[in-house]
Amino acid sequence: MIYSGELLAVAERILWFGTPEEAFEFPKRFLTYAMTYASNEDSEILRKYFTDDDFKATLDDPAPGIFDRSSWAKWNERYNRTPVPPLPRRKTPGVDPATIPDFFPSKF
């Protein structure tokens, strides 16, 4: 797939640890990073290429361990998802998530 120069530039700024093309191999992971790290200008560019449904789908099943509290709250509130659900947590095979203490409980 061919991407615009402006979208590739946004991907390069957001996923500095890989190539812009690699960023789009996993769109949900890319959007999770974008929703956390994109500037307002980057967000405007992203909205040209991704729909509200794309952003909502990312909130429904985000890549864990990427969102920070403020970004998670901002995007959930933008799509009227209140009260804001807890931050996504990584899943460890064979470990019951209920037995893991929450060292950073939500303040929402």
Side-chain angles (χ1 to χ4, degrees):
M1 180 176 261
I2 298 173
Y3 300 100
S4 74
E6 69 178 350
L7 186 58
L8 290 171
V10 169
E12 188 173 354
R13 284 190 292 274
I14 293 170
L15 269 88
W16 60 93
F17 49 85
T19 67
E21 294 80 12
E22 290 171 340
F24 300 117
E25 288 180 28
F26 303 98
K28 195 179 297 184
R29 183 183 79 144
F30 170 70
L31 279 180
T32 303
Y33 274 103
M35 293 166 78
T36 304
Y37 297 112
S39 67
N40 289 336
E41 294 81 15
D42 290 340
S43 293
E44 289 304 314
I45 292 169
L46 292 168
R47 293 177 67 74
K48 292 179 190 177
Y49 299 94
F50 295 95
T51 67
D52 282 336
D53 288 339
D54 295 326
F55 287 99
K56 289 176 186 178
T58 301
L59 289 174
D60 288 339
D61 186 27
I66 299 171
F67 269 112
D68 59 39
R69 284 190 183 149
S70 63
S71 299
W72 180 246
K74 176 181 95 173
W75 285 94
N76 275 283
E77 289 169 357
R78 173 177 279 179
Y79 291 111
N80 299 316
R81 294 171 179 227
T82 54
V84 174
L87 278 166
R89 298 177 75 179
R90 294 184 190 274
K91 295 176 179 81
T92 305
V95 176
D96 178 4
T99 64
I100 301 171
D102 187 357
F103 295 108
F104 305 99
S106 176
K107 295 180 182 178
F108 306 113

